[in-house]
Amino acid sequence: MDTTDPNIAFDKRDWCCHCSNYYQNILPFWHRKEEGIRLIEPLVDKIRREGKGRDHDCLIGISGGLDSSYVTYVAKEMLGLRPMLFHVDAGWNSQQAVANIEKLVDGLGLDLYTEVINWEEMKDLQLAFLKAQVPDQDIPQDLAFFSALHLFGAKHNVKYILTGGNFATECVREPIEWGGYYATDMKYVSDIHKRFGARPLNTFPRADIFEYKIYNRLVKGVRVIKMLNNVSYLKAEAENILSKRFGWQPFQHKHHESRFTRFYESYWMPTKFKYEKRRAHFSSLILTEQMTRREALERISRPELDEVTMRQEFEYVAKKLDLDVAELQALFEGPNKNYRDYRNRLWLISLGTRIMQGLGIERRRFK
């Protein structure tokens, strides 16, 4: 990490706040391997027991990426659960991601439900965010993913949702200035769409952060479980297991299962805003001893995608959004803004986050 994170701070040891948070608030409470499974076993037994007589006992959102793929393997093969897999097609799936999902479905004998987002509405919201000039360009996709999953769960009375969220590859959260703003802050999303959108989002799935964080949990009793925090989860090892067992193919980097996210994180963000999300991704791997700092700095010293691929992806994204290259370039060259330029509920979300941290529900650092 570096000072492109405007809230980074260092203590007397010259440790940054991300490292301090990991060693103080995450590592002491992170129980993995046999101990982690022992601690989670009562909950797993409860899921199995309450799922008797139903086709499935839990729900897993799957993208074809490593985290969601491995939690699927853990749930079925290691813990004996019967998950329903839920995939959201927002229009940007890579062929590799689709193939990975198919291989897991066939290899594990699981059921898959795919929700396809109305492309005209998806495109309109993405264009609105591009015109807003904010770094949060993945919010339209993330909002669709999270909302569709939770709305589906609520409709079918699902009490247990397993996610690929984890400390092993995500203990350092991306700063909100780096496009890490909350995708389900509907006040923020609505303000941007009201200003720059061109059509109503009649069918687009929208679940406000307080709906799924508070109402679904406290009123409807829905549990969101980060199962990967209770097992041994090493990136290279997990990729090897999935590849050998199912022919699953690893991605060059995190989030590359979406072609838009790959373009946005590899080109749009570091070139337009000078924010390099790989710093957070690699910092997580360094802290969890899966990568050396020297290796991380060497990777960051060069672009993740070569110049030819970048140019091809720029053209692909423009065409898919019904823009010509000059129009997308004009948006790229526009004045940079951020979440502070639009209406939002950050103060209320921050209060809720502090309460969750005080209760031990959330241990990552949010700044």
Side-chain angles (χ1 to χ4, degrees):
M1 297 296 287
D2 66 2
T3 52
T4 57
D5 172 4
N7 296 306
I8 200 167
F10 297 85
D11 62 21
K12 294 179 180 179
R13 301 168 296 182
D14 284 336
W15 286 20
C16 83
C17 46
H18 299 283
C19 290
S20 298
N21 184 68
Y22 174 75
Y23 287 110
Q24 293 172 12
N25 300 319
I26 295 178
L27 190 58
F29 305 96
W30 185 12
H31 304 292
R32 293 164 283 179
K33 301 181 181 179
E34 292 82 6
E35 183 184 11
I37 294 176
R38 178 178 59 81
L39 290 172
I40 201 73
E41 191 60 42
L43 177 57
V44 173
D45 287 339
K46 185 178 181 183
I47 296 173
R48 296 193 197 105
R49 186 169 61 252
E50 294 182 7
K52 284 185 178 179
R54 303 186 61 167
D55 292 336
H56 312 95
D57 51 25
C58 58
L59 183 65
I60 298 177
I62 188 166
S63 67
L66 179 61
D67 297 336
S68 64
S69 296
Y70 195 65
V71 78
T72 299
Y73 166 79
V74 168
K76 177 65 163 51
E77 293 290 274
M78 294 177 60
L79 301 176
L81 295 174
R82 297 177 293 111
M84 155 75 86
L85 300 186
F86 183 86
H87 175 68
V88 178
D89 181 354
W92 296 98
N93 282 339
S94 66
Q95 292 181 347
Q96 184 178 339
V98 174
N100 281 347
I101 293 173
E102 291 176 349
K103 289 170 182 175
L104 286 172
V105 168
D106 293 339
L108 291 170
L110 298 175
D111 293 325
L112 170 69
Y113 178 88
T114 299
E115 180 161 334
V116 180
I117 305 300
N118 180 300
W119 172 244
E120 294 303 316
E121 293 181 9
M122 184 75 207
K123 179 175 63 177
D124 189 68
L125 187 57
Q126 287 195 287
L127 285 170
F129 267 78
L130 285 167
K131 292 173 183 177
Q133 298 291 343
V134 294
D136 313 299
Q137 292 303 317
D138 240 0
I139 278 184
Q141 282 194 105
D142 287 344
L143 176 63
F145 297 157
F146 291 128
S147 298
L149 175 66
H150 285 272
L151 291 172
F152 180 89
K155 180 179 179 181
H156 295 278
N157 198 32
V158 174
K159 297 298 182 183
Y160 302 98
I161 299 176
L162 277 56
T163 80
N166 67 89
F167 293 141
T169 66
E170 300 173 340
C171 60
V172 175
R173 189 186 187 278
E174 300 155 10
I176 57 176
E177 281 80 3
W178 291 13
Y181 192 74
Y182 303 88
T184 47
D185 180 350
M186 286 310 305
K187 188 172 185 178
Y188 180 58
V189 174
S190 297
D191 189 40
I192 286 179
H193 186 254
K194 182 179 179 180
R195 297 193 197 193
F196 303 105
R199 61 183 302 143
L201 304 179
N202 292 327
T203 66
F204 197 94
R206 285 166 287 177
D208 189 87
I209 187 169
F210 295 103
E211 179 180 347
Y212 81 86
K213 286 276 190 182
I214 298 176
Y215 178 78
N216 283 1
R217 181 182 178 90
L218 299 180
V219 178
K220 302 204 68 173
V222 177
R223 292 285 304 274
V224 177
I225 305 163
K226 297 180 180 180
M227 200 70 77
L228 293 182
N229 285 341
N230 288 84
V231 300
S232 175
Y233 181 42
L234 300 174
K235 181 176 180 287
E237 182 181 278
E239 289 176 338
N240 188 48
I241 290 172
L242 295 176
S243 296
K244 286 186 174 180
R245 285 289 304 275
F246 311 107
W248 183 96
Q249 293 296 313
F251 292 90
Q252 180 173 325
H253 189 61
K254 192 175 182 69
H255 300 150
H256 280 198
E257 58 268 28
S258 162
R259 286 191 68 173
F260 181 83
T261 305
R262 184 178 74 161
F263 164 76
Y264 154 65
E265 292 192 355
S266 300
Y267 177 76
W268 194 273
M269 177 69 81
T271 309
K272 177 174 172 60
F273 292 94
K274 311 306 179 186
Y275 297 146
E276 178 58 83
K277 287 198 174 192
R278 289 182 298 172
R279 291 189 182 278
H281 302 161
F282 292 158
S283 292
S284 293
L285 297 178
I286 293 168
L287 286 170
T288 55
E289 299 179 353
Q290 301 180 70
M291 188 180 209
T292 67
R293 189 170 184 273
R294 182 184 296 274
E295 290 170 336
L297 290 173
E298 196 280 325
R299 279 278 295 275
I300 288 175
S301 70
R302 63 182 191 275
E304 198 65 37
L305 301 178
D306 62 78
E307 187 175 342
V308 173
T309 302
M310 294 277 201
R311 185 166 59 252
Q312 291 172 343
E313 289 301 284
F314 196 98
E315 294 171 356
Y316 173 82
V317 169
K319 183 178 180 180
K320 191 165 178 66
L321 292 174
D322 290 335
L323 302 172
D324 58 39
V325 171
E327 288 174 316
L328 185 57
Q329 184 66 34
L331 289 172
F332 176 82
E333 293 172 357
N336 292 345
K337 298 184 179 180
N338 61 39
Y339 66 89
R340 297 182 185 86
D341 294 298
Y342 301 95
R343 299 176 66 197
N344 62 71
R345 289 197 183 100
L346 180 59
W347 72 271
L348 190 55
I349 295 172
S350 298
L351 175 61
T353 299
R354 288 196 295 272
I355 292 172
M356 292 175 66
Q357 289 172 331
L359 295 172
I361 298 171
E362 176 59 70
R363 298 195 177 278
R364 293 186 302 165
R365 179 179 178 273
F366 288 75
K367 285 285 188 181

